[in-house]
Amino acid sequence: MKNLTIPIKYGLAIGTALIAYFLILSLFGAHTNPIYSLLNGVLAGYGIYEGIKHYKLLKGEKFKYQKGFAAGMLSGFNATILFSVFMGIYASHLNPAFLDNIQWRLTGETGLGLFLFEVIIMGFATSVVLTLSFMQLFKKSWNTKDGKRHTYNKEEKK
């Protein structure tokens, strides 16, 4: 992708929104409850959708599915990396007791490495699913006369 400004810009915006939301939750002491992380998907989804939409507007008729998919994925991945770095700093330096207070750990201690791995995996998985979903809205339809040329019809072959 020649133009990386869209994934960087939207990745920073999504990551910043996720960090701000987490800090707002921490003001109310709700940042350890996993139910509030559901809004992370909404924030990431909105940013990924807007990033793909902006890329499509920029490219116009030259918009290709693969490039739009890459724009969405890179936006989500950039946001995930930014948010993971923040969470690493937060959990290790700003609030070391955070990992002991997380309500979703089942047994034993949750180490910083495992916690960051989970944050990264959840962020990447969310980015993949949301990008695949949104690209269905942006791809060209094959329900046209031109699209019918690419389908197999037994009656036309006779």
Side-chain angles (χ1 to χ4, degrees), residues 32-47:
T32 58
N33 192 339
I35 194 69
Y36 295 112
S37 67
L38 290 176
L39 191 59
N40 289 358
V42 174
L43 294 171
Y46 179 73

Side-chain angles (χ1 to χ4, degrees), residues 68-104:
F69 183 80
M73 290 293 293
L74 290 175
S75 296
F77 286 3
N78 288 337
T80 298
I81 292 167
L82 177 64
F83 186 67
S84 299
V85 168
F86 167 76
M87 289 305 292
I89 294 169
Y90 182 83
S92 63
H93 296 297
L94 300 177
N95 186 1
F98 172 70
L99 293 178
D100 295 330
N101 296 326
I102 294 176
Q103 295 178 7
W104 51 273

Side-chain angles (χ1 to χ4, degrees), residues 64 66 70-71 90:
K64 296 197 183 291
Q66 297 87 347
Y90 182 83

